[in-house]
Amino acid sequence: MWRREGERAYELILLLIVLFSVISFFVLATDFAMRTVGGQSWLPLGRSLELAILIAGASGAALAFYITVYHILSLIYWRRHQAELLSWRVRWAQLLVTNAPSLPDDLPPAAITTLIQFMQVVDSSANLAALIGDKTRDSWLRKLTRGSTAQKLTTLEQISATGLNDFLPVTLAMMTHPASAVRGAAAHCSAALVGAMPPGDARLTAIGQFAYVLNRSNLPKLIFQEALLLTKEAAPRLIACVLVFPHIDIKIAQAALEAAGRLGLVDLAPLIARYLKHHDENVRCAAVKALAQLRYVPPRFYLTVQLLAVDPHIETRIAALHALVYVYDPVSFQLMARAADRHDSRWVRAAAKELLKKTVGGSAGPRRAVQSGA
Amino acid sequence: MNTPAPLPPLEILLVICQIFILVYFSVLNLSYALLTYFGFRYIARFNQQLSPLMLNNLLQLNIYKPISLLVPAYNEEKTIIASVRSFLSLHYPEFEVIVVSDGSKDRTIDVLIEAYQLYEVGDQLPYHENIVCQDILRAFRSRTYSNLIVLEKKNGGKADALNAALKYSRHDLVCAVDADSVLDVEALVRTARMFVEDETVIAVGGTIRPLNGSVVENGQLLQLRLPKSWIERVQVIEYCRAFFTGRAGWAEIDAMLIISGAFGVFSRQAMLEIGGYNTSTVGEDIELVVRLHKKFRQAKVPYRILFCPDPLCWTEVPDSFRVLRRQRNRWQRGLFETLWSHRDMTFNPRYGRMGMISMPFAWLFDAFSPIIEIIGYIFIPISFAFGILDFEFAALFLLLVVIYGIMLSYMSLGIEVMMQNRYPRLEDRVTLMLVTLTEFIYFRQILLWERFIALFQVWRKRGQWGAMERKGLK
């Protein structure tokens, strides 16, 4: 708070300096030009220059004063803030143990900060979350709807830390906010709230709503992925829900496929394999990479993965080589050997050689298939 | 009515010069003041975006873009072990360090082999064929660090060494760093995050701060202290101005021209598309950024080049005028070479703000400023001799130049206090403000003269670096 006030004051000082500088330099240049071309000036000689010096000097002195005072005051404020945090930590501990101290209706920022810190380390977070919800609901809603971008971001972070899922409709609505930073934070927050919900119908409904809004939120791929993973136990259901969308955003498809691979969701393998023939090369690549991470390729997609080993997209080819290890068919080994021998890309060749080194003598698929076939 | 007698041609010329210098000074200083204001807004907004707490939570999800660190080294035997250790201990889930010894004549390679148990890998490493560099003599991997690659190549200059590292880079992002720099442990986390949040970002420059006088242990900055000598302290203020006014200000209006060679993160794909670094210039960092702008503008592909205000990289700055002059000479030549080779972008609306604002500004206020300032210094006594300049006016004008310069430095120092607060002791702040008062006495004139000379050496010394002496981290 203090810092933000200090920044606002400094911004005003800078703006004033720019404005005064514009005025003083304009007066100086005009006066000088009129005087040197022999015309009359409205100021005595040197007066415009003295004005510019006065403004520059006063500005410099004001800045030096502000910097020094700000430095000293922020040190005092910081100490006071630390004391306030400590006092609130004690109050929360007392509340947990004895349920004794009464609380003001409007909690100060230090109280909320310490309470959230408490919730991250103390087990009884549901009670604390309910408490924080009662005390701050109106203030948070006000900040989310009418606050500045900074306030919105801070509030979303606080809500996600508390896991108060009755804020979910608001946070879902904010996932289509014009500012991408707010959209991203709202997606993170919504994901955390969905992840904090107990299993049941309410969570299923929330997952459906979240998936629908996520598909329309136009976020970067990795932010999508973060949002999917932040839902924790709800992630498999959410990813499945996203992958069956008829008109899926390409970035969210990639994110969902990568998340499925990362989480090892083998049950989703048939769903993932449906994307192996996707028209977008990055989606194809993400799908085959996910199967390689799952260490499982559904048998009816063996041929598709083998075809991807000669895909025009180099990254897809490399990912397909990794997946071929789990395609138990002699052709897979031949494809790998061919890629290692005379493929056009050095990167594909290096990947194939590395994989062959790992598979030869090991228990992995193609080698075993060749051996058993032989 | 008396009409004034017409002025002789020489005096008319002097009068025109006077007006030009005054207008030049006014526009230059107003631009700097405005850029500082923009820089402040940029940094304030940046600080509001993502809290460290949230960033840590997100990092636990292990979602990231892997990074290849490109580390060119030439005769760095004193510093290379500590530097590589610092790079290897960065907080980041997946990265590789590619050190390139660019024909070093000292024991750079030997000390690396000993310290990191390197073994030769022959021609096993895959590489990108469209990147050209001098012959690679030997390639090594480390037995102790699987993410360390060392290349030994024929000497070809810094840009060529960076190209060699780029050629062997495996990851989506590449980070060019100087071998003598110390990176903040969070440097990669902070910059890579900017690529995650906006997919159109192709490059991010970081803030560089002087390291001299600070305590460094195991390649990590333990305690930041002000340097002892005056020349190093003045450079602390210079770096504040350059990054908080220059880089941040230009980043606010999406027209950043420079990413410092000491620390910059780039999309590898974008780098490969433009063929890597240009080896024929000493300003390979600025040239690369200009070429990226050019390429993406021509292709009409949306892109962004951003600045990360967090102090990410600490570097040893020259502690003698001899080395400092050599460095500034090189910077000036690099700037001029780049502007000249991309002169078609200047005042070309096809290149947007780059062509219409950044490039003309760089020509007028960076490349040619030494000539104009030197003319200004010569011009004052001549005009005085011809009786067309009032002595009092000239003295007051010089005073204005100095005071306005001090004020601009204070504006940048204020941003440092508000946003970064890396020098927490009040006496350090006061010292920096006092040093600012003295910068205009000797330091500025010496460097001005060096930059002036550099302009006449651009063609003769094309591509020449000049030695930078390293003391080694203490």
Side-chain angles (χ1 to χ4, degrees):
Chain A
M1 191 66 177
W2 156 256
R3 189 175 156 156
R4 213 160 277 159
E5 297 301 326
E7 283 175 11
R8 247 180 241 147
Y10 195 67
E11 186 175 355
L12 185 67
I13 291 173
L14 292 185
L15 194 62
L16 286 174
I17 289 175
V18 172
L19 284 176
F20 281 124
S21 299
V22 169
I23 294 166
S24 69
F25 283 132
F26 177 76
V27 171
L28 176 64
T30 320
D31 174 36
F32 189 75
M34 285 175 72
R35 197 180 298 284
T36 45
V37 295
Q40 286 298 310
S41 176
W42 65 90
L43 285 167
L45 181 68
R47 190 51 59 86
S48 56
L49 195 53
E50 284 168 10
L51 177 76
I53 291 170
L54 193 70
I55 287 174
S59 304
L63 283 167
F65 178 74
Y66 186 81
I67 291 168
T68 313
V69 169
Y70 182 88
H71 187 99
I72 295 165
L73 288 183
S74 54
L75 208 66
I76 295 167
Y77 175 83
W78 185 82
R79 283 186 191 143
R80 199 179 293 163
H81 183 63
Q82 292 304 313
E84 200 184 359
L85 287 176
L86 184 66
S87 122
W88 273 105
R89 275 188 205 114
V90 172
R91 286 182 80 168
W92 293 127
Q94 283 175 342
L95 185 82
L96 273 179
V97 177
T98 62
N99 213 10
S102 61
L103 297 167
D105 284 339
D106 197 11
L107 292 176
I112 298 169
T113 308
T114 45
L115 186 52
I116 288 171
Q117 285 169 352
F118 242 85
M119 288 175 62
Q120 288 171 338
V121 287
V122 178
D123 197 27
S124 57
S125 53
N127 293 338
L128 291 175
L131 178 72
I132 203 168
D134 288 345
K135 295 284 179 188
T136 59
R137 185 175 311 277
D138 293 343
S139 149
W140 277 353
L141 282 173
R142 200 172 49 246
K143 283 176 186 167
L144 287 179
T145 49
R146 294 198 297 273
S148 65
T149 302
Q151 284 177 324
K152 284 189 174 90
L153 295 178
T154 311
T155 309
L156 284 167
E157 193 179 330
Q158 288 173 338
I159 292 172
S160 79
T162 58
L164 289 166
N165 53 46
D166 46 342
F167 280 95
L168 189 62
V170 186
T171 61
L172 286 176
M174 292 183 77
M175 282 171 62
T176 48
H177 193 276
S180 64
V182 175
R183 281 204 307 277
H188 287 140
C189 179
S190 304
L193 298 185
V194 170
M197 290 172 89
D201 289 346
R203 185 163 89 174
L204 284 177
T205 312
I207 287 172
Q209 289 170 341
F210 184 47
Y212 176 74
V213 183
L214 207 56
N215 198 34
R216 297 171 58 220
S217 58
N218 190 24
L219 288 165
K221 184 187 86 175
L222 293 182
I223 302 286
F224 273 135
Q225 211 181 114
E226 284 173 348
L228 293 172
L229 295 182
L230 277 170
T231 56
K232 294 175 184 165
E233 280 103 57
R237 187 83 193 195
L238 176 64
I239 292 167
C241 187
V242 166
L243 288 177
V244 294
F245 269 150
H247 303 293
I248 188 169
D249 180 297
I250 282 175
K251 283 185 288 182
I252 197 171
Q254 273 178 266
L257 291 165
E258 285 171 17
R262 190 184 282 257
L263 294 174
L265 305 176
V266 182
D267 293 347
L268 298 187
L271 202 53
I272 293 167
R274 278 171 40 184
Y275 285 87
L276 291 173
K277 288 182 181 171
H278 198 275
H279 62 89
D280 185 272
E281 57 192 21
N282 294 313
V283 176
R284 284 199 304 273
C285 181
V288 74
K289 216 181 257 181
L291 291 178
Q293 278 178 305
L294 297 179
R295 297 162 174 252
Y296 173 66
V297 178
R300 67 193 172 98
F301 292 99
Y302 277 5
L303 181 63
T304 317
V305 172
Q306 286 168 344
L307 285 172
L308 287 179
V310 289
D311 193 276
H313 186 229
I314 288 180
E315 276 191 49
T316 306
R317 283 209 298 270
I318 295 173
L321 287 175
H322 282 90
L324 279 179
V325 175
Y326 309 100
V327 173
Y328 305 124
D329 185 301
V331 177
S332 303
F333 185 74
Q334 287 162 13
L335 281 169
M336 232 184 253
R338 204 176 74 177
D341 278 347
R342 52 173 197 277
H343 210 284
D344 57 339
S345 161
R346 289 171 189 277
W347 295 89
V348 176
R349 200 155 66 209
K353 278 182 183 170
E354 193 65 31
L355 281 166
L356 279 171
K357 231 188 263 177
K358 280 183 191 164
T359 54
V360 170
S363 60
R367 183 64 180 165
R368 201 171 53 198
V370 170
Q371 282 163 349
S372 62
Chain B
M1 202 170 105
N2 290 335
T3 48
L7 291 169
L10 182 65
E11 290 190 17
I12 290 174
L13 186 71
L14 288 173
V15 166
I16 291 169
C17 279
Q18 274 186 356
I19 296 173
F20 174 75
I21 287 169
L22 193 76
V23 171
Y24 179 86
F25 165 81
S26 304
V27 176
L28 172 70
N29 285 291
L30 278 178
S31 307
Y32 281 149
L34 205 57
L35 278 172
T36 312
Y37 175 69
F38 287 152
F40 177 81
R41 285 176 58 95
Y42 181 87
I43 297 170
R45 208 177 46 249
F46 178 87
N47 283 352
Q48 290 168 3
Q49 296 278 313
L50 195 64
S51 75
L53 181 71
M54 192 63 182
L55 187 60
N56 281 338
N57 289 344
L58 295 176
L59 279 176
Q60 283 169 10
L61 297 174
N62 247 1
I63 293 173
Y64 53 84
K65 288 196 170 195
I67 299 183
S68 299
L69 251 76
L70 320 180
V71 188
Y74 178 72
N75 292 348
E76 305 272 2
E77 67 171 321
K78 282 183 192 166
T79 57
I80 195 74
I81 301 292
S83 301
V84 173
R85 195 184 303 129
S86 131
F87 299 144
L88 288 168
S89 58
L90 291 170
H91 287 179
Y92 202 72
E94 189 181 354
F95 67 98
E96 63 178 359
V97 179
I98 308 176
V99 182
V100 182
S101 172
D102 185 38
S104 297
K105 294 184 182 113
D106 65 355
R107 296 185 66 249
T108 301
I109 275 286
D110 298 332
V111 295
L112 281 169
I113 290 173
E114 283 163 28
Y116 296 104
Q117 298 183 33
L118 302 181
Y119 62 96
E120 273 194 66
V121 288
D123 60 350
Q124 288 171 26
L125 296 176
Y127 55 83
H128 304 282
E129 283 160 47
N130 67 326
I131 301 294
V132 182
C133 66
Q134 293 282 342
D135 292 345
I136 306 289
L137 305 173
R138 289 189 290 175
F140 301 89
R141 273 194 173 281
S142 165
R143 285 195 177 85
T144 44
Y145 295 92
S146 60
N147 59 339
L148 174 64
I149 293 173
V150 176
L151 305 172
E152 186 185 20
K153 64 180 275 291
K154 281 186 185 170
N155 183 267
K158 184 182 175 186
D160 194 65
L162 283 165
N163 277 341
L166 176 65
K167 193 179 175 86
Y168 286 86
S169 61
R170 282 190 304 131
H171 296 318
D172 290 352
L173 301 179
V174 292
C175 173
V177 287
D178 279 351
D180 60 307
S181 301
V182 170
L183 296 189
D184 188 276
V185 285
E186 302 288 338
L188 298 183
V189 170
R190 301 297 302 191
T191 38
R193 186 74 207 164
M194 298 173 91
F195 288 88
V196 168
E197 286 172 357
D198 186 346
E199 286 164 336
T200 61
V201 173
I202 56 165
V204 175
T207 306
I208 321 290
R209 306 293 293 270
L211 179 69
N212 307 38
S214 303
V215 182
V216 177
E217 200 174 287
N218 290 328
Q220 295 299 322
L221 181 73
L222 288 189
Q223 197 182 358
L224 182 66
R225 287 186 190 153
L226 267 191
K228 290 271 181 274
S229 74
W230 176 74
I231 181 174
E232 294 164 307
R233 285 178 173 179
V234 176
Q235 288 175 84
V236 172
I237 297 155
E238 272 198 306
Y239 275 66
C240 258
R241 272 202 311 261
F243 287 92
F244 300 143
T245 297
R247 308 287 205 277
W250 287 113
E252 173 71 2
I253 54 170
D254 256 335
M256 203 165 72
L257 195 67
I258 306 174
I259 285 179
S260 169
F263 182 84
V265 183
F266 302 88
S267 148
R268 187 193 57 183
Q269 190 54 39
M271 296 274 276
L272 293 177
E273 280 175 24
I274 60 165
Y277 288 88
N278 181 342
T279 52
S280 64
T281 175
V282 288
E284 80 294 329
D285 44 5
I286 175 172
E287 201 281 336
L288 178 83
V289 178
V290 172
R291 208 147 31 90
L292 282 171
H293 277 294
K294 197 174 193 174
K295 155 92 186 162
F296 280 79
R297 287 270 177 188
Q298 283 176 348
K300 294 188 175 150
V301 176
Y303 74 100
R304 291 190 78 193
I305 294 180
L306 299 178
F307 167 68
C308 181
D310 288 333
L312 303 173
C313 176
W314 310 88
T315 193
E316 197 187 340
V317 297
D319 61 354
S320 71
F321 270 111
R322 191 170 53 85
V323 182
L324 182 65
R325 284 173 58 182
R326 212 179 286 156
Q327 183 195 53
R328 298 308 159 91
N329 182 301
R330 193 180 69 238
W331 287 2
Q332 186 68 20
R333 283 187 288 124
L335 173 76
F336 196 89
E337 283 170 5
T338 303
L339 292 176
W340 180 252
S341 56
H342 296 284
R343 58 191 179 280
D344 57 320
M345 288 174 74
T346 310
F347 288 121
N348 188 338
R350 185 181 182 190
Y351 299 105
R353 289 175 191 174
M354 276 301 297
M356 301 305 288
I357 305 174
S358 286
M359 296 286 279
F361 186 93
W363 272 114
L364 194 60
F365 297 122
D366 291 326
F368 287 133
S369 68
I371 295 176
I372 296 166
E373 283 188 51
I374 293 276
I375 288 174
Y377 279 115
I378 297 167
F379 172 80
I380 289 173
I382 294 175
S383 299
F384 187 62
F386 275 86
I388 58 164
L389 187 70
D390 180 63
F391 178 77
E392 191 189 337
F393 193 90
L396 284 175
F397 184 72
L398 276 178
L399 186 65
L400 176 64
V401 171
V402 172
I403 291 178
Y404 210 86
I406 292 168
M407 190 205 73
L408 287 171
S409 295
Y410 281 2
M411 285 169 92
S412 298
L413 278 178
I415 297 180
E416 206 279 334
V417 177
M418 304 273 128
M419 309 290 182
Q420 304 289 339
N421 202 16
R422 289 294 167 134
Y423 295 102
R425 297 188 316 169
L426 184 61
E427 54 260 49
D428 286 347
R429 301 260 175 243
V430 175
T431 307
L432 283 176
M433 283 196 270
L434 292 176
V435 169
T436 307
L437 299 177
T438 62
E439 183 191 349
F440 292 84
I441 294 166
Y442 178 66
F443 186 90
R444 198 176 161 84
Q445 287 77 17
I446 290 282
L447 295 192
L448 177 66
W449 181 246
E450 193 58 46
R451 288 169 60 218
F452 181 73
I453 291 169
L455 287 174
F456 299 97
Q457 297 173 333
V458 169
W459 276 274
R460 188 165 58 81
K461 282 188 157 185
R462 198 170 172 86
Q464 287 179 32
W465 265 67
M468 176 82 179
E469 287 159 21
R470 302 280 177 221
K471 283 182 158 181
L473 302 176
K474 292 192 186 76

